[in-house]
Amino acid sequence: MTFKYEAYGQGAAVDPEQNIRITLAPFRDLDVDNLVFVFKDDQMEFEFDTVEFHEVRPKMFRGSLVEQKCPVLTCIVEPSIRRAMIAAMKGRPLEEGFYEEKRKAIEEAMFVLTMKGDVFRSLAPDYRVKFVQSIAEARRHRVLLSWNRR
């Protein structure tokens, strides 16, 4: 898989070889850090939940030091993917190999999408994507992330 970042609109991660596209879903009134994304390929379309965490980091801009909000962690709520895929399969069984293939695609696409290609790579070299079982678990990761930075 080789995802590319498409910058128009709110952005998208696209794998032209497998015809996979992941985009931010239309706005929902969720918590500030909860985002819903749309997975779409030739076989199915579904939404999944994420929790994203950012930090303010210094960067040089036109010779001045400024602060930039940068992504540091995206937690993908895995049960939301599995439930959505089962519903999208419309009664067909969800094979584990098929699920793992789509899961890997989502992980790679979220990395590309959140980094906006390579835009944030220099500011957030420690950025990562992690699968979690719940939003509460994702928030615990944020607490650990904050604790480790002290």
Side-chain angles (χ1 to χ4, degrees), residues 12 17 20 36 40 45 60 62 65 67 70 73 83 86 91 94 110 122 126 129 133 135 139-140:
E17 293 173 12
I20 297 173
V36 177
K40 184 176 183 179
E45 180 175 343
M60 291 298 290
R62 296 186 181 168
L65 191 61
E67 291 185 336
C70 299
L73 175 65
R83 272 192 313 273
I86 288 169
L94 179 60
M110 289 306 298
S122 63
D126 55 341
V129 177
Q133 296 303 306
I135 290 173
R139 294 217 167 102
R140 282 192 300 274

Side-chain angles (χ1 to χ4, degrees), residues 1 27 35-36 110 140-141 145 147:
M1 284 175 268
F27 177 75
L35 297 173
V36 177
M110 289 306 298
R140 282 192 300 274
H141 282 286
L145 188 67
W147 182 258

Side-chain angles (χ1 to χ4, degrees), residues 4-92:
K4 307 260 188 282
Y5 179 70
E6 289 185 358
Y8 62 87
Q10 291 191 17
V14 178
D15 181 344
E17 293 173 12
Q18 294 192 28
N19 200 24
I20 297 173
R21 180 179 194 83
I22 295 186
T23 57
L24 186 62
F27 177 75
R28 297 213 171 73
D29 191 17
L30 299 173
D31 290 339
V32 175
D33 56 358
N34 289 29
L35 297 173
V36 177
F37 287 86
V38 177
F39 174 99
K40 184 176 183 179
D41 70 4
D42 294 333
Q43 301 167 323
M44 64 181 65
E45 180 175 343
F46 61 86
E47 295 182 347
F48 61 95
D49 301 322
T50 67
V51 181
E52 294 196 351
F53 302 105
H54 297 81
E55 287 182 351
V56 175
R57 296 186 174 175
K59 84 171 204 174
M60 291 298 290
F61 180 72
R62 296 186 181 168
S64 298
L65 191 61
V66 296
E67 291 185 336
Q68 171 80 42
K69 182 178 167 186
C70 299
V72 292
L73 175 65
T74 297
C75 293
I76 301 170
V77 182
E78 191 162 13
S80 72
I81 295 171
R82 191 173 289 275
R83 272 192 313 273
M85 283 183 72
I86 288 169
M89 296 294 287
K90 297 179 180 153
R92 293 174 291 166

Side-chain angles (χ1 to χ4, degrees), residues 78 82 94-101:
E78 191 162 13
R82 191 173 289 275
L94 179 60
E95 296 175 11
E96 199 58 33
F98 180 79
Y99 173 78
E100 284 300 318
E101 179 184 314

